[in-house]
Amino acid sequence: SLGSASCLPVVWSSPDTTVTFVAGLHECGISLRVTPDSLIYTTSLNYNPAPPNSVIVRSSPAVVPIECHYPRRSNVSSNGVKPTWIPFLSTLSSEEKLPFSLHLMNDDWSAERASTVFQLGDILHFQAAVDAENHVPLRLFVDSCVATLTPDRTSSPQYTFIDFHGCLVDGQLDDATSAFMSPRPRQDVLQFAVDAFKFAGDSSNLV
């Protein structure tokens, strides 16, 4: 069930493993909290398994809290009405695409590295970031990271640093010290260090 009013799902059949709830933001006992930047709707998903007919119990009740955050500086609508006025700059900014960046940093992470030349034995300091100026707070992850000899990420040869939705596979090698930096400087910034390398058999020494 959903919320303090215990609203039942609109789609629910016992052979399926998925249930579907449809509820308005002011229904099912959903509560509203207003902050300077957000409208926060709070509810809970309640699981109350029916008592079994046997002498053993295989599942327990559970309550899963749910929060929906809507930025107050954005347009919250279904786009059913197209306004003819010019929106505020903050609204325009929040509707722009989020700018992501990936930079090589110097050894103490204080600034972008001026040189892109490394010697074997050096460490590459990468910093990924997203500018979430008018967006709700974000926690940034790097899903994958591949080194190639050309700007084409599908070219060969190539070497994968990060794979499997965020795992630093390079750090699992016995001769590597690659690692994610912890703690993060901010939630929207991710730093990781990778041992310098070269592609075997390639004479250009460029990546």
Side-chain angles (χ1 to χ4, degrees):
S1 63
L2 184 68
S4 59
S6 299
C7 294
L8 297 178
V10 296
V11 178
W12 181 19
S13 58
S14 54
D16 295 335
T17 58
T18 302
V19 295
T20 302
F21 292 89
V22 177
L25 291 174
H26 298 282
E27 299 174 350
C28 299
I30 298 175
S31 61
L32 169 63
R33 187 170 82 255
V34 180
T35 68
D37 297 319
S38 302
L39 302 175
I40 304 174
Y41 292 88
T42 304
T43 186
S44 61
L45 185 65
N46 311 301
Y47 175 61
N48 294 299
N53 294 323
S54 62
V55 295
I56 59 174
V57 176
R58 294 190 183 275
S59 57
S60 301
V63 177
V64 180
I66 298 173
E67 281 192 357
C68 299
H69 292 246
Y70 293 91
R72 294 182 66 185
R73 302 178 189 176
S74 297
N75 293 329
V76 183
S77 72
S78 61
N79 292 326
V81 177
K82 298 293 184 181
T84 57
W85 63 85
I86 300 176
F88 293 106
L89 291 179
S90 61
T91 302
L92 289 175
S93 175
S94 66
E95 291 178 350
E96 293 174 355
K97 292 183 178 179
L98 292 170
F100 292 89
S101 62
L102 180 65
H103 295 293
L104 277 171
M105 307 296 289
N106 57 21
D107 291 347
D108 62 2
W109 304 97
S110 62
E112 188 172 356
R113 195 175 194 269
S115 171
T116 58
V117 177
F118 292 87
Q119 303 293 328
L120 290 179
D122 291 344
I123 296 179
L124 288 72
H125 297 84
F126 288 100
Q127 178 170 290
V130 57
D131 183 3
E133 179 182 358
N134 287 319
H135 199 281
V136 294
L138 296 174
R139 183 176 173 87
L140 178 68
F141 295 92
V142 176
D143 189 77
S144 63
C145 186
V146 179
T148 59
L149 290 173
T150 71
D152 180 9
R153 71 174 307 275
T154 63
S155 63
S156 181
Q158 63 174 244
Y159 180 68
T160 302
F161 297 113
I162 299 177
D163 204 359
F164 308 113
H165 304 295
C167 294
L168 187 61
V169 294
D170 187 70
Q172 298 176 352
L173 303 178
D174 293 336
D175 58 347
T177 60
S178 305
F180 287 111
M181 299 296 102
S182 181
R184 295 171 179 246
R186 299 194 314 271
Q187 290 302 302
D188 53 7
V189 172
L190 180 64
Q191 297 172 332
F192 56 99
V194 174
D195 296 320
F197 72 99
K198 69 185 297 289
F199 284 105
D202 177 64
S203 59
S204 68
N205 293 332
L206 297 177
V207 179

